[in-house]
Amino acid sequence: MDSGNGFADFAKKFNSFGNQLGNNIKRVFNEGQGARRTGSSEDVLGLDAEAFREATIAGNDGGELATYVNEKLVCEAGVDFDSRPMLVFYACRMLNPDVVDYDRLLNLIQFRLDDFVESDYTVVLFAANARYNPSVKWLFTAYRRLGRKYKKNLKALYIVHPLTWVRVVMTAMNAVLSPKFAKKVRWLDTLSELAQAVPISQINIPPEVYQFNATKEVEVRVPAHARPPSRFFGVPLEQLMGVHGELGLPAPVADALDYLYTNALEVPDLFRRTPPPPTLQK
């Protein structure tokens, strides 16, 4: 058998699969944009944003689903090593899509995130042992709906125990739609890896997650001491940003640039250095 030809055939099929997946992603997102334009709260229900929020939270169950989302599905878990609030999403607690309206569920998840997105925050997603998996189209819709407002201040998304299809779909979406966001995603195979990244003792980890983790490692290794608070000044750029810049700009620099871009593009003479008074008097 000619191994060279075999590899060439494999590479051709893999590239074809990647192109097809990318085209499908664009098609689904275009459909999602159309549905969003025709299905907004103002167009369909005649409600303003606040009235839509209240109606969605109340639903037809007296707010039970909203309570479940806030207390079981998307939970606050203290702060990370950089004192940023942590949110934890549990895929193993996703509900039956035949019983629950997933469009309303997505709205409730957005409302939950709204309490944190105005400042820096971190998200941990436990992806394994989900009894009910959302459809790929729903994931695409969620990715699109969670736009810049939600991604701007998200400093890290830790996906723990990622399934192959989750990794493939997320990688494809990031490559096609948001390469910048892809730099914030961290793929972790074990709880020991998570313990190196965030203070794991603050997270309520359900038995389903521990059960899956046992197939990956014998025990969870937690560092004896938390790493010291991060420093930005007097630290080599390679340490802050990575050798190839893969870690992004330091937070103070990124925040300053974001503020200038948002609020100060029209301010005259913003970067002009004022000359000494004697020079001005000449």
Side-chain angles (χ1 to χ4, degrees), residues 260 264-275 280:
L260 292 174
L265 289 182
E266 304 300 325
V267 177
D269 302 328
L270 183 64
F271 299 103
R272 187 179 69 180
R273 182 178 180 182
T274 304
L280 287 175

Side-chain angles (χ1 to χ4, degrees), residues 16 24 55 58 60 64 94 111 114 120 151 154 156 170 206 214 247:
S16 176
N24 287 340
N60 57 4
E64 289 185 8
M94 288 293 284
F111 298 157
D114 284 342
D120 295 349
K151 297 172 184 175
L154 176 62
M170 281 288 294
L247 300 180

Side-chain angles (χ1 to χ4, degrees), residues 177-218:
L177 298 165
S178 183
K180 182 178 179 180
F181 179 72
K183 296 178 181 179
K184 301 182 179 184
V185 180
R186 309 284 189 270
W187 303 97
L188 306 178
D189 291 325
T190 65
L191 292 178
S192 294
E193 293 179 22
L194 179 64
Q196 297 289 335
V198 300
I200 196 174
S201 61
Q202 298 180 18
I203 300 176
N204 181 19
I205 302 176
E208 297 91 335
V209 174
Y210 278 117
Q211 181 182 6
F212 185 87
N213 191 73
T215 66
K216 299 293 184 179
E217 60 181 351
V218 176

